[in-house]
Amino acid sequence: MADTTAGTIYDVGYQRYEGVRLGRRHAIWALYVHSLRGVFGIGRSLSSKVGPMGLAVIALVPAIFQLGVAGVTPTELSVIRPEEYYNLIEVVLAVFCAVVAPELVGRDQRTRTLSLYFSRALRRQDYAVAKFAALMTGMLAITVIPQAMMFVGNGLANDFGDYLQDEWTDLPSILGSAILLSGLIAGIGLVIAAQMPRRAYATVGILAAFVLTSIIAGSVFEAADQNVGRFALLLSPFHVVQGLTLWFFDVAPGSGTQLAEARFSGVVYAIDAALVTLLMLALLFRRYERISP
Amino acid sequence: MTLIRTVGLTKRFAKITALDALDLELEPGIIGLVGANGAGKSTLIKLLLGLLEPTSGSGEVMGFDVFRQGPELRQFVGYMPEHDCLPADVSATEFVAHMAQVSGLPRAAARERTAETLRHVGLFEERYREMRGYSTGMKQRVKLAQALVHDPRLILLDEPTNGLDPEGRDEMLRLIRRIGSEFGIAMILSSHLLGEIERVCDHLVEIEDGRLVRSVPMTVLTAPTSVLTVEVDGDGDRLADRLREQGVTVSRSGRFLLVQKEDDALLDLVRDSVVDLGLGLVRLEQGRRRLEELFQSQPSLEEEEDLRG
């Protein structure tokens, strides 16, 4: 039979979409997933993977070192303590943020893709929330994974059951500290990156926000009267990260360190981190409220 | 269903009033938005999308309040901006599929419709390549595809032919016309080129200095005129004389005679005269007004722009 419809199979013409439309929440989720992939350069060219992936690996180095030690020494020996971990990799965390945040938000402004997002099924704040959540998740990944590796590795080097029984309180400490510091670093990074669409400026700006403030706050603390000067440390993300991590692990700062001399109760750093993160989110909302895409 | 309704829609920027108390009511169709650069076209489009907040007034698109129900409304709206808006380091497929999801489509449906839509706009093998190497024409197609992929009820196109060569312009206009008429999607198309609007649109909205000048169906503007164009094979002057003897107003325009038509009886008169004189009738055509003529009766858009500096 000569089938007259055979030809039309290949040119079906325009099809209306009759399926479901999932609305705003789905749009936010889609932007979050897309952005999170972008954090690690997944779905992008090889060159955009090198930076974030490389830094993620560097953040693992202390953990791998500890695992090596745990593997060869029969006793329970922690060369690298979990509460000191972020202190060791703080520069890596800052550089990761400085590399990723400008890509995450600056790119949409440079290429003006922002106007396409803002004309879709989400609100301007939703865009900020999705980007923040994506970067925070990325930061969480590079902080929690090495900690988890150390925990499991140390456990396996000994009797895992015993280890778990003795050290399980580390788990909420690991998670709690990682969440607070990820939010803090992501928030600061995004505010700067959203303000400076040019990537090079944003990267330098973010690095300065972490490294320079740390140096300046440290000097101010040393130079000024310590009862006043110690508040400068609350403005330095690195000091705050250290303080809150020690508090989560219930460890006193080493004697002679600035944190020890500042004599803040550890919870002050945790609250400070939460407040600064909220402030950063508010600034981010304001930025996207005002930007003309 | 009313497509668009604005009441007293006003947008003021620091120094200028871009849109001044605009009252507009439009039915679905292919709507051309004309006006000089800076007349308020882009501002109106951005207000309708909720990309800008109005200084005062209200706007409704397809029954949704533009400023309160933005996300709900924008599931059903596509937007093709005038400016570049594509990231360089992703492929068209990946980008358009992502945009479909941000419009609310589930992942699988987004992928499926992306393939289909890119085919409709005429992007084939190159759709898997990074967009950095795309020509202007290809980029315009991707921009159109991302506005179309989620099967919107309304597409807003801001100067869609900008930067295209004549051939690319033609193709883009054909595509737009097809989306409007065949796909049945309402469209608002802004352009400063009247010829484009005339070719594609069935309704015209003209704004100037942020105010509405007119909003009329295209058929009214390009209505038949009362002038007949006649072309004959042979001595046209003899025909002209014959017609003048009958009291008809005739003027000459090159090879053509322009004949003032009072009623349809004139058509018979022309035919009979041609036969009597033994001439050959090559063309007998009812004149149509062109948009350009219409705008020439007022100071032209370009002139105003010059005045404004």
Side-chain angles (χ1 to χ4, degrees):
Chain A
M1 192 184 84
D3 193 350
T4 50
T5 61
T8 60
I9 290 170
Y10 299 101
D11 184 18
V12 284
Y14 185 77
Q15 302 272 307
R16 300 245 56 149
Y17 176 70
E18 307 289 353
V20 285
R21 291 178 192 263
L22 300 172
R24 184 176 160 208
R25 285 171 68 175
H26 177 75
I28 299 171
W29 174 252
L31 179 57
Y32 166 74
V33 172
H34 182 80
S35 303
L36 182 56
R37 283 162 54 89
V39 165
F40 291 102
I42 300 166
R44 297 266 168 77
S45 61
L46 186 66
S47 58
S48 26
K49 290 185 182 71
V50 173
M53 295 280 196
L55 288 162
V57 170
I58 295 173
L60 286 175
V61 168
I64 293 167
F65 179 70
Q66 166 62 29
L67 293 187
V69 173
V72 293
T73 54
T75 52
E76 194 174 312
L77 176 66
S78 280
V79 179
I80 293 176
R81 302 279 318 151
E83 68 270 16
E84 288 162 356
Y85 202 91
Y86 305 134
N87 201 5
L88 289 171
I89 60 165
E90 62 184 14
V91 173
V92 181
L93 297 179
V95 174
F96 184 84
C97 179
V99 167
V100 168
E103 274 305 287
L104 208 53
V105 293
R107 218 168 70 106
D108 291 343
Q109 287 175 46
R110 284 197 303 275
T111 57
R112 302 190 72 178
T113 314
L114 203 54
S115 61
L116 297 186
Y117 282 117
F118 286 0
S119 56
R120 295 192 123 73
L122 36 75
R123 293 181 189 278
R124 289 174 171 222
Q125 301 95 304
D126 299 339
Y127 176 86
V129 167
K131 291 290 176 179
F132 174 74
L135 183 54
M136 184 168 162
T137 310
M139 299 296 314
L140 266 176
I142 68 166
T143 46
V144 168
I145 290 173
Q147 291 274 28
M149 264 173 60
M150 283 215 309
F151 187 86
V152 172
N154 282 334
L156 291 176
N158 302 282
D159 181 331
F160 196 74
D162 285 352
Y163 188 81
L164 198 60
Q165 210 158 30
D166 294 344
E167 307 287 338
W168 70 271
T169 51
D170 275 1
L171 293 177
S173 305
I174 289 171
L175 215 56
S177 56
I179 287 173
L180 273 188
L181 82 88
S182 297
L184 178 68
I185 295 177
I188 293 172
L190 284 182
V191 166
I192 295 170
Q195 213 66 44
M196 302 179 173
R198 296 271 301 268
R199 176 166 42 185
Y201 295 165
T203 298
V204 171
I206 293 169
L207 281 177
F210 292 115
V211 179
L212 276 189
T213 44
S214 172
I215 295 169
I216 292 169
S219 319
V220 168
F221 177 65
E222 300 293 342
D225 172 55
Q226 295 204 336
N227 282 323
V228 186
R230 64 181 189 151
F231 288 99
L233 298 189
L234 294 180
L235 298 176
S236 156
F238 282 169
H239 285 88
V240 173
V241 165
Q242 256 185 62
L244 73 87
T245 310
L246 290 174
W247 177 68
F248 265 104
F249 284 94
D250 201 17
V251 175
S255 62
T257 61
Q258 288 183 333
L259 285 188
E261 283 169 19
R263 288 174 289 104
F264 279 119
S265 155
V267 70
V268 172
Y269 297 107
I271 293 170
D272 181 64
L275 288 180
V276 173
T277 307
L278 288 178
L279 175 69
M280 291 300 132
L281 266 176
L283 288 176
L284 206 57
F285 282 174
R286 205 181 73 133
R287 168 67 174 155
Y288 285 114
E289 210 49 63
R290 295 185 172 188
I291 199 169
S292 76
Chain B
M1 183 190 68
T2 308
L3 182 68
I4 285 164
R5 180 183 290 125
T6 69
V7 180
L9 193 59
T10 302
K11 180 66 186 178
R12 274 189 215 98
F13 294 107
K15 279 193 183 143
I16 50 160
T17 302
L19 219 55
D20 193 0
L22 192 73
D23 296 324
L24 197 58
E25 191 153 343
L26 296 168
E27 296 302 310
I30 309 179
I31 298 151
L33 186 58
V34 300
N37 283 334
K41 292 176 304 212
S42 289
T43 303
L44 176 59
I45 285 180
K46 286 181 181 167
L47 282 166
L48 292 175
L49 282 162
L51 277 180
L52 284 177
E53 264 193 52
T55 310
S56 61
S58 65
E60 239 177 57
V61 176
M62 300 181 288
F64 292 102
D65 182 321
V66 173
F67 311 109
R68 288 204 190 85
Q69 298 172 289
E72 294 92 325
L73 163 66
R74 292 193 293 260
Q75 291 187 87
F76 302 101
V77 177
Y79 170 46
M80 175 175 174
E82 180 182 5
H83 52 75
D84 281 340
C85 56
L86 305 175
D89 61 350
V90 271
S91 68
T93 308
E94 184 150 349
F95 181 70
V96 174
H98 170 55
M99 282 296 150
Q101 286 195 66
V102 184
S103 292
L105 261 58
R107 203 178 130 87
R111 300 225 154 252
E112 202 174 304
R113 284 200 57 90
T114 295
E116 231 174 84
T117 309
L118 287 174
R119 187 167 51 83
H120 279 302
V121 301
L123 215 65
F124 301 97
E125 288 315 309
E126 55 274 24
R127 68 177 188 263
Y128 302 110
R129 282 210 329 257
E130 281 188 1
M131 291 191 279
R132 79 172 76 244
Y134 283 16
S135 66
T136 311
M138 282 156 73
K139 282 184 186 159
Q140 290 297 91
R141 285 160 198 265
V142 180
K143 278 164 67 177
L144 183 60
Q146 64 79 29
L148 180 63
V149 66
H150 50 296
D151 187 26
R153 308 278 146 76
L154 167 68
I155 300 186
L156 298 151
L157 306 155
D158 201 353
E159 301 275 359
T161 57
N162 248 12
L164 295 177
D165 56 22
E167 204 180 315
R169 251 167 215 279
D170 263 9
E171 252 176 84
M172 181 55 71
L173 290 176
R174 257 203 303 278
L175 207 52
I176 289 169
R177 177 79 221 172
R178 198 169 151 230
I179 291 168
S181 54
E182 244 176 81
F183 302 2
I185 297 172
M187 279 202 281
I188 296 184
L189 161 72
S190 93
S191 177
H192 61 282
L193 298 172
L194 293 169
E196 293 191 344
I197 299 285
E198 193 177 336
R199 256 181 74 182
V200 173
C201 302
D202 45 36
H203 191 98
L204 179 121
V205 173
E206 186 195 353
I207 50 177
E208 199 184 293
D209 289 336
R211 285 195 205 89
L212 183 67
V213 178
R214 67 182 116 208
S215 169
V216 282
M218 198 64 77
T219 46
V220 172
L221 294 176
T222 56
T225 57
S226 53
V227 177
L228 276 185
T229 304
V230 183
E231 185 183 355
V232 290
D233 185 16
D235 189 357
D237 285 333
R238 282 170 59 211
L239 177 63
D241 292 341
R242 171 68 70 93
L243 290 172
R244 284 197 190 100
E245 281 164 25
Q246 305 287 326
V248 178
T249 315
V250 182
S251 62
R252 192 130 195 175
S253 165
R255 293 183 299 128
F256 307 112
L257 296 181
L258 303 178
V259 183
Q260 195 64 41
K261 177 184 148 207
E262 304 299 336
D263 54 41
D264 286 349
L266 180 76
L267 294 170
D268 294 341
L269 180 66
V270 171
R271 181 198 58 200
D272 295 344
S273 309
V274 168
V275 172
D276 277 358
L277 295 167
L279 304 167
L281 188 60
V282 176
R283 177 197 296 247
L284 180 61
E285 190 178 71
Q286 183 100 42
R288 273 191 177 275
R289 286 201 298 186
R290 303 189 59 87
L291 270 186
E292 317 260 358
E293 296 162 24
L294 194 78
F295 282 87
Q296 268 156 18
S297 55
Q298 322 165 358
S300 81
L301 298 172
E302 273 69 20
E303 276 167 22
E304 287 226 345
E305 211 174 333
D306 291 344
L307 287 177
R308 226 177 282 144

